[in-house]
Amino acid sequence: GGDDEGFSTVGKGGRTLQYTPESIFKHLRSIVESRGKKNTDRAEQIRVMEKLLEVATTSYQKIRVLLTLMSTRFDLTSGSAATTMSQEQWKMAEHEFGMLLEVLEENPNMVVLENAEEWEDDEKPPQPTPGEKLRIPGSIVSSVERLDDELTRSLQHIDPHTAEYIERLGDEQALYTNVVRALLYVETLKKDPKLEIPQESTNRIVMRRLEHIYFKAGPHIFFGSIMY
């Protein structure tokens, strides 16, 4: 019992939405099922998931919420008039990606894989067989690529002689840290032959890392940090 296990708010149409650890997967399912539908209020869905993240108690719950939350943030610019993700949304997604990597690093018994099967039971989380890893559907590689692409696109739309441009280059440093972390994570997964991680997954992150090392920020090459 206690009041710390969740909370409720009044949603659209006066409905009361319960945010408890037990309700997390039902909320996520309704959010995933509404993807691509017209009149989907993605900003509202993001607010719901931010609350779910606050009440998540298990690592599995946190991983599931973070994966859906990041993809919904990326959806904000898909099919909208905005050509680039706002810096605020990008920073949130980048922070959540770091949180996701942290949870995965701390829980080697859980892995995020592109070919993992969806878990259909919202009432009880999956229980991995002893000695087996719990496979959760998602893509670490695609998340890295999307964060990188969105940042590059943003830099291409900013005058390189402005303070705003320099500030966004600071975001690149934060992203680079997580590119390296993601690479280490995928390389760790590759050591387990049962997971059958393709070499291509590692290669895709290595390419992103190399591009950052050479400061390829869209069409503007930034030499400020290179010593001759």
Side-chain angles (χ1 to χ4, degrees):
D3 297 328
D4 57 344
E5 290 180 1
F7 49 87
S8 60
T9 63
V10 177
K12 277 191 171 172
R15 287 176 304 133
T16 302
L17 298 174
Q18 295 289 333
Y19 298 107
T20 62
E22 295 74 32
S23 72
I24 285 175
F25 301 125
K26 283 188 176 142
H27 279 296
L28 290 182
R29 182 173 299 282
S30 69
I31 286 169
V32 169
E33 287 174 353
S34 71
R35 284 187 80 172
K37 290 184 182 171
K38 280 188 173 177
N39 304 323
T40 298
D41 187 342
R42 294 194 182 106
E44 173 64 20
Q45 290 181 340
I46 286 170
R47 283 192 289 274
V48 168
M49 284 186 281
E50 286 171 343
K51 292 189 174 82
L52 295 178
L53 194 56
E54 286 176 31
V55 298
T57 53
T58 69
S59 298
Y60 177 70
Q61 288 170 346
K62 288 173 187 169
I63 292 168
R64 289 277 308 273
V65 174
L66 286 165
L67 284 166
T68 313
L69 183 48
M70 285 192 303
S71 63
T72 307
R73 287 196 199 279
F74 293 139
D75 281 350
L76 281 172
T77 45
S78 303
S80 74
T83 49
T84 61
M85 201 173 178
S86 74
Q87 184 177 14
E88 180 194 12
Q89 289 296 334
W90 187 91
K91 277 180 177 288
M92 299 289 251
E94 195 272 335
H95 174 67
E96 285 149 6
F97 184 61
M99 286 173 68
L100 174 64
L101 289 174
E102 191 174 326
V103 177
L104 291 170
E105 287 159 359
E106 291 170 358
N107 295 274
N109 59 322
M110 298 181 190
V111 294
V112 169
L113 296 176
E114 290 178 34
N115 60 357
E117 286 184 24
E118 294 282 348
W119 182 254
E120 298 297 337
D121 191 339
D122 294 338
E123 298 300 325
K124 60 179 200 299
Q127 296 299 323
T129 320
E132 292 287 325
K133 290 183 168 73
L134 177 57
R135 301 170 182 221
I136 303 166
S139 177
I140 296 298
V141 181
S142 295
S143 299
V144 167
E145 290 177 330
R146 188 67 192 265
L147 283 166
D148 198 28
D149 289 343
E150 290 291 350
L151 181 58
T152 300
R153 205 172 293 136
S154 173
L155 285 165
Q156 288 169 346
H157 284 81
I158 303 171
D159 180 345
H161 304 102
T162 59
E164 184 188 1
Y165 188 81
I166 302 299
E167 187 190 343
R168 292 267 25 202
L169 283 175
D171 289 340
E172 188 182 27
Q173 189 55 50
L175 177 59
Y176 178 74
T177 303
N178 278 334
V179 169
V180 175
R181 280 175 79 187
L183 180 58
L184 291 172
Y185 177 71
V186 173
E187 285 178 341
T188 303
L189 296 190
K190 264 185 74 66
K191 290 174 186 166
D192 184 344
K194 284 186 191 169
L195 298 177
E196 300 176 336
I197 305 295
Q199 180 61 39
E200 183 210 4
S201 294
T202 316
N203 296 350
R204 280 161 62 188
I205 305 183
V206 167
M207 285 303 297
R208 299 294 172 144
R209 184 180 182 183
L210 289 173
E211 287 172 5
H212 279 272
I213 289 171
Y214 294 106
F215 291 92
K216 196 199 88 179
H220 315 301
I221 308 296
F222 182 69
F223 292 111
S225 305
I226 299 175
M227 303 296 288
Y228 290 100

